[in-house]
């Protein structure tokens, strides 16, 4: 390994030591304490066996975890109380970090465009033309995001040194996605018409969207990994901010905004003369897909020629990355963290999924709920930015724990709001209460997501960043 690669590995180790924000207090959750144990042991082994810095990352991992003295039970080393630096706003970042942050927001935003269509707008447009069973078939199109861990090691291990580790995947994926959206734009109306006349045709329709979501999920792996090296280590918390702002904006545009402008009633009420109503909305799905397909290609062209990726000489093969991932999964601290992720949402999952439906069932008007969601969007975007700043000043998992309690309180408040729904319908005062409930739930949800994503970014190894980030998030 070259000196430059060795220095990169040392920086990654220091970064992981600095990310264990739970070291200051014991008992703040299994994820914090056990992660601290692991990172402390890695650093201790590095001090005792300096020679391992000269080997490949996979050999280092095998050497550390295969040693008979490797343990997660050693005492936690003390860190300085001022380890977390002061928070920085966007304009206080270096010019390089500012540019890279905006690039990440753009890449995540592009991912959100087809995701908002596949998860929201297309099922909504289909529901008036096909049966619920056909919509259930179409829901399979969202599965690649849940399964992307299976091929994430391939994204980390296969790449071209002349192009760059992450651009080797992002450039071709965005190109294929762009042309796929342009093709879908030309054929989407006919495919939806066929699905409404023959429900067997919904499978062909679903597979096209499955392929598009698969491309987005694969790009997400590459972008997550790139975020760990694009931003400086002290500003890694902004990686989760970029993801929150970009994905939220893209999905909001393709779901809420698109459906509003796709509605002929909305267009006739707000944008057309009363004596000249139209039969269609201001946006149609075919033209929307075509526009963003070309936008994908333009951004890809600019990324290819205007952004240079830092050189990376790591040569871990596919099977080596799979073995490293398996060894990570066998660590007790990671297993504890996975269990926390699995059970953490039990207390408020019903609130997230059912509250809006129950309000509509009790008599809340669709346009009133749309107003609530419109107010909710800027709150979520701006919160993502400020929470990224908080994660620089305070341990991310401490923030996550406090917001977890707040989210449980928000779920209880939502249940209370549903229970007192007025018999005569929702007036202005009750609508304000619904807005307050929704904003509180969104606030806590966003804080939890950004904080835990910042924690993932701090403890992940940039060499296998795509796999590491995907493993923790999935």
């Amino acid at each position: 390994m070259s000196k430059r690669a060795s220095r990169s590995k040392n920086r990654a180790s220091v970064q992981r030591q600095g990310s264990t924000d739970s070291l200051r207090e014991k008992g703040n959750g299994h994820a914090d304490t056990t992660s601290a144990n692991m990172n402390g042991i890695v650093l201790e082994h590095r001090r005792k066996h300096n020679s391992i810095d000269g080997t490949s990352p996979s050999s280092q991992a095998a050497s550390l975890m295969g040693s008979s003295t490797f343990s997660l039970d050693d005492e936690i080393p003390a860190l300085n109380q001022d380890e977390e630096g002061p928070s920085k706003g966007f304009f206080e970042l270096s010019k390089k970090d500012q540019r890279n942050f905006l690039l990440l927001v753009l890449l995540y935003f592009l991912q959100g465009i087809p995701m908002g269509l596949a998860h929201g707008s297309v099922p909504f447009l289909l529901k008036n033309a096909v049966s619920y069973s056909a919509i259930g078939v179409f829901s399979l199109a969202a599965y690649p995001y849940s399964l992307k861990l299976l091929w994430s090691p391939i994204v980390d291990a296969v790449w071209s040194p002349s192009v760059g580790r992450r651009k080797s995947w992002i450039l071709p994926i965005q190109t294929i996605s762009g042309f796929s959206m342009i093709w879908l734009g030309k054929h989407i109306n006919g495919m939806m018409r066929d699905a409404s006349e023959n429900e067997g045709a919904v499978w062909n329709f679903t597979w096209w969207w499955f392929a598009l979501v698969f491309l987005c999920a694969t790009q997400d792996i590459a972008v997550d990994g790139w975020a760990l090296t694009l931003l400086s280590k002290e500003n890694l918390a902004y990686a989760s901010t970029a993801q929150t702002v970009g994905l939220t904006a893209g999905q909001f545009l393709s779901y809420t905004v698109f459906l509003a402008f796709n509605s002929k009633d909305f267009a006739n009420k707000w944008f057309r003369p009363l004596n000249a109503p139209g039969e269609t909305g201001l946006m149609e799905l075919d033209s929307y897909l075509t526009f963003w397909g070309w936008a994908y290609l333009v951004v890809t062209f600019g990324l290819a020629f205007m952004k240079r990726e830092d050189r990376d000489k790591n040569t871990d093969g596919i099977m080596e990355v799979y073995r490293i991932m398996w060894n990570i999964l066998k660590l007790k601290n990671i297993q504890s963290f996975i269990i926390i992720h699995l059970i953490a949402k039990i207390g408020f999952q019903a609130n997230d999924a059912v509250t809006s439906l129950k309000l509509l069932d009790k008599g809340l008007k669709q346009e009133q709920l749309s107003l609530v969601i419109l107010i909710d969007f800027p709150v979520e975007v701006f919160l993502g930015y400020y929470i990224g700043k908080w994660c620089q000043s305070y341990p991310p998992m401490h923030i996550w724990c406090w917001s977890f309690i707040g989210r449980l309180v928000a779920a209880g408040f939502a249940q209370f709001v549903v229970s007192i729904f007025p018999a005569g319908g929702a007036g202005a005062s009750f609508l304000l209460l619904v807005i307050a409930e929704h904003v509180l739930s969104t606030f806590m949800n966003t804080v939890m997501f950004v904080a835990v994503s910042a924690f993932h970014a701090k403890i992940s190894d940039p060499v296998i960043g795509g796999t590491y980030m995907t493993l923790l998030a999935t």
Side-chain angles (χ1 to χ4, degrees):
M1 180 179 289
S2 66
K3 293 181 179 179
R4 186 174 185 178
S6 178
R7 287 196 300 270
S8 176
K9 288 301 296 176
N10 288 334
R11 285 196 300 270
S13 297
V14 173
Q15 168 192 318
R16 288 193 293 272
Q17 182 189 21
S19 69
T20 53
D21 43 25
S22 61
L23 299 185
R24 299 193 189 113
E25 297 182 19
K26 295 183 179 181
N28 279 320
H30 298 293
D32 294 350
T33 305
T34 51
S35 179
N37 285 335
M38 178 182 69
N39 294 321
I41 294 302
V42 169
L43 291 171
E44 182 64 23
H45 274 269
R46 282 184 177 271
R47 286 193 289 268
K48 294 180 179 178
H49 307 286
N50 291 328
S51 61
I52 66 172
D53 281 334
T55 61
S56 69
S58 60
S59 299
Q60 294 176 24
S63 174
L64 294 175
M65 289 184 283
S67 172
S68 59
T69 59
F70 184 80
S71 171
L72 298 176
D73 300 322
D74 288 4
E75 289 295 324
I76 300 174
L79 292 180
N80 293 330
Q81 290 298 314
D82 59 352
E83 176 199 355
E84 299 288 343
S87 63
K88 293 182 179 179
F90 174 77
F91 295 102
E92 295 173 330
L93 302 177
S94 66
K95 293 297 182 182
K96 180 180 179 181
D97 275 355
Q98 288 181 6
R99 291 193 299 268
N100 289 337
F101 173 79
L102 293 176
L103 173 61
L104 287 173
V105 171
L106 176 61
L107 294 176
Y108 282 120
F109 173 78
L110 290 178
Q111 288 175 220
I113 296 296
M115 295 304 299
L117 293 173
H119 288 172
S121 295
V122 173
F124 182 88
L125 296 174
L126 280 175
K127 72 181 179 67
N128 294 325
V130 301
S131 65
Y132 284 112
S133 60
I135 294 178
V137 170
F138 182 78
S139 68
L140 295 173
Y143 272 45
Y145 248 84
S146 300
L147 302 174
K148 62 182 180 177
L149 179 62
L150 299 179
W151 63 89
S152 59
I154 300 175
V155 178
D156 274 328
V158 179
W159 52 286
S160 169
S162 61
V163 178
R165 175 186 287 272
R166 306 306 175 186
K167 287 175 64 177
S168 295
W169 286 92
I170 295 174
L171 295 180
I173 285 174
Q174 286 195 169
T175 301
I176 298 172
S177 297
F179 282 117
S180 297
M181 293 172 74
I182 293 172
W183 187 92
L184 275 174
K186 294 180 178 180
H187 298 86
I188 191 71
N189 291 332
M191 295 172 74
M192 294 184 71
R193 185 168 54 250
D194 292 342
S196 64
E197 296 172 355
N198 176 19
E199 288 201 356
V202 77
W203 283 99
N204 180 52
F205 186 67
T206 299
W207 289 124
W208 269 102
W209 283 96
F210 182 94
L212 188 58
V213 174
F214 173 84
L215 292 172
C216 290
T218 305
Q219 179 181 342
D220 189 56
I221 298 169
V223 175
D224 282 349
W226 202 9
L228 300 180
T229 55
L230 271 178
L231 298 174
S232 56
K233 64 179 182 179
E234 64 270 16
N235 295 320
L236 269 181
Y238 273 97
S240 59
T241 301
Q243 185 180 33
T244 300
V245 173
L247 280 177
T248 300
Q251 291 178 351
F252 180 80
L253 181 65
S254 286
Y255 186 13
T256 306
V257 175
F258 172 77
L259 286 181
F261 284 92
N262 180 256
S263 168
K264 68 176 183 179
D265 295 331
F266 180 84
N268 291 336
K269 181 177 180 180
W270 297 104
F271 296 98
R272 290 172 179 153
L274 293 176
N275 58 352
E279 293 300 320
T280 61
L282 298 177
M283 286 185 186
E284 294 297 322
L285 186 56
D286 53 353
S287 58
Y288 187 82
L289 280 166
T290 302
F291 172 83
W292 284 109
W294 284 111
Y296 259 70
L297 296 180
V298 170
V299 172
T300 303
F301 181 84
L303 183 64
F305 293 100
M306 299 175 64
K307 180 62 180 177
R308 183 178 181 181
E309 187 174 353
D310 293 338
R311 292 184 179 275
D312 191 328
K313 296 185 179 180
N314 179 65
T315 57
D316 282 348
I318 296 175
M319 295 310 299
E320 288 177 293
V321 179
Y322 272 107
R323 280 195 292 269
I324 292 173
M325 183 180 75
W326 180 246
N327 287 334
I328 293 171
L329 281 170
K330 290 192 294 184
L331 293 172
K332 291 183 179 180
N333 57 332
I334 295 297
Q335 292 172 359
S336 300
F337 199 40
I338 290 173
I339 292 172
I340 290 171
H341 271 310
L342 283 173
I343 66 175
K345 292 186 178 181
I346 292 176
F348 36 76
Q349 191 64 50
N351 172 48
D352 294 347
V354 180
T355 298
S356 295
L357 296 177
K358 290 297 294 182
L359 288 171
L360 290 172
D361 184 54
K362 283 181 172 287
L364 188 71
K365 296 178 180 179
Q366 184 68 50
E367 56 267 28
Q368 290 176 320
L369 182 60
S370 299
L371 175 63
V372 172
I373 296 173
L374 284 172
I375 294 174
D376 194 46
F377 167 69
V379 172
E380 188 169 359
V381 169
F382 285 110
L383 273 177
Y385 168 72
Y386 282 105
I387 297 164
K389 293 181 63 177
W390 297 346
C391 289
Q392 291 181 314
S393 299
Y394 306 100
M397 289 308 294
H398 288 190
I399 297 175
W400 185 91
C401 289
W402 282 109
S403 59
F404 177 85
I405 297 173
R407 200 167 173 188
L408 291 175
V409 173
F413 180 51
Q415 184 177 0
F416 169 75
V417 170
V418 172
S419 67
I420 64 169
F421 193 93
S429 58
F430 186 79
L431 185 60
L432 289 174
L433 191 63
V434 173
I435 291 173
E437 172 271 317
H438 209 75
V439 168
L440 179 61
S441 294
T442 298
F443 174 79
M444 294 304 172
N445 183 17
T446 305
V447 173
M448 284 186 66
F449 176 78
V450 176
V452 80
S453 297
F455 180 70
H456 292 168
K458 286 188 174 185
I459 68 173
S460 294
D461 186 345
V463 176
I464 55 168
T467 299
Y468 219 128
M469 290 285 284
T470 302
L471 171 64
L472 295 174
T474 303

